[in-house]
Amino acid sequence: MTGQPERPLADVAMAWEVTASAVPFEGKKTSIRTDEVVMPDGSVATRDYQVHPGSVAVLALDDQDRVLVLSQYRHPVREKLWEIPAGLLDVPGENPLHAAQRELYEEAHVKAEDWRVLVDMYTTPGGCDEAVRIFLARDLSEAEGERFALAEEEADMEFARVPLAELVHGALAGQLHNNCLVTGALALSATLAGDGVDALRPAEADWPARPFPA
């Protein structure tokens, strides 16, 4: 069937019945859960998925309309990817905006005065419950104090400031693959071509996927 949807075009919270659940693997930050889920026809299906604390990412735009990017080795895909600053929501009770500000400081030693919500997404909802909020940060300046000590993969980071149009071109040309960078760059490009930055949600906008601490 084609045509307009019968309900508003918005995702809906829903939880099908789970008859059994187990955690066959638990790692340092994430785990694997196996659920037995009742389907609409009454059958029961097994669903394995990664349980994830959630993430935040920052598309930091300077006064020359360049985006702050960094290059980091990602072992699962065996590539060094250009990315935007990002990190896990792994501090109990931390506000997502504060987490984003922390990541921008720790990874790039930069602070921003203007923060908006750019876009929210699930990275791989068929196999992982990770939710990501990408913030737009503007009015950038160098952070005060000593730089955060980077270690492991982060010790090999490269940094650059790249025009937004170059990132959009790289994504569409198949040269850039990091999901937060690609989604963030395309979302900002659409924002600038549409209603503009002032139409974006405020930085503390509700996020049902990862509710802010009370």
Side-chain angles (χ1 to χ4, degrees), residues 164-205:
L164 176 63
E166 190 173 329
L167 296 181
V168 171
H169 177 270
L172 298 178
Q175 299 166 338
L176 301 172
H177 305 91
N178 174 263
N179 58 352
C180 290
L181 184 150
V182 170
T183 302
L186 294 176
L188 180 56
S189 181
T191 296
L192 297 175
D195 295 332
V197 170
D198 288 340
L200 291 173
R201 288 170 291 161
E204 298 271 8

Side-chain angles (χ1 to χ4, degrees), residues 9-175:
L9 193 62
D11 298 332
V12 177
M14 185 178 297
W16 291 359
E17 181 184 358
V18 175
T19 59
S21 187
V23 181
F25 170 79
E26 188 163 3
K28 183 178 180 181
K29 300 292 185 181
T30 66
S31 60
I32 300 298
R33 181 177 295 278
T34 299
D35 288 345
E36 301 294 329
V37 186
V38 179
M39 299 288 112
D41 63 1
S43 63
V44 177
T46 300
R47 293 291 178 263
D48 300 318
Y49 59 98
Q50 182 184 19
V51 178
H52 194 285
S55 306
V56 291
V58 184
L59 194 147
L61 188 70
D62 69 15
D63 56 6
Q64 299 180 48
D65 292 330
R66 299 175 303 175
V67 176
L68 173 64
V69 294
L70 53 91
S71 181
Q72 184 174 355
Y73 175 68
R74 294 301 188 182
H75 187 69
V77 296
R78 306 302 198 272
E79 289 187 24
K80 194 171 185 181
L81 304 179
W82 283 106
E83 307 179 352
I84 57 177
L88 299 177
L89 290 169
D90 56 356
V91 177
E94 187 173 25
N95 182 298
L97 173 60
H98 298 167
Q101 292 168 334
R102 169 174 52 84
E103 291 299 331
L104 184 61
Y105 167 75
E106 290 183 355
E107 293 192 349
H109 202 63
V110 166
K111 63 180 181 179
E113 299 301 324
D114 185 84
W115 290 81
R116 317 287 176 100
V117 174
L118 184 55
V119 68
D120 298 328
M121 64 178 180
Y122 293 114
T123 52
T124 49
C128 179
D129 70 352
E130 181 184 13
V132 179
R133 168 160 282 187
I134 303 178
F135 291 90
L136 172 64
R138 299 187 301 168
D139 194 4
L140 308 182
S141 62
E142 192 77 8
E144 299 175 357
E146 295 184 10
R147 293 189 66 94
F148 187 80
L150 301 177
E152 298 179 343
E153 292 95 338
E154 293 181 345
D156 191 41
M157 279 184 179
E158 301 173 59
F159 297 89
R161 296 197 181 200
V162 179
L164 176 63
E166 190 173 329
L167 296 181
V168 171
H169 177 270
L172 298 178
Q175 299 166 338

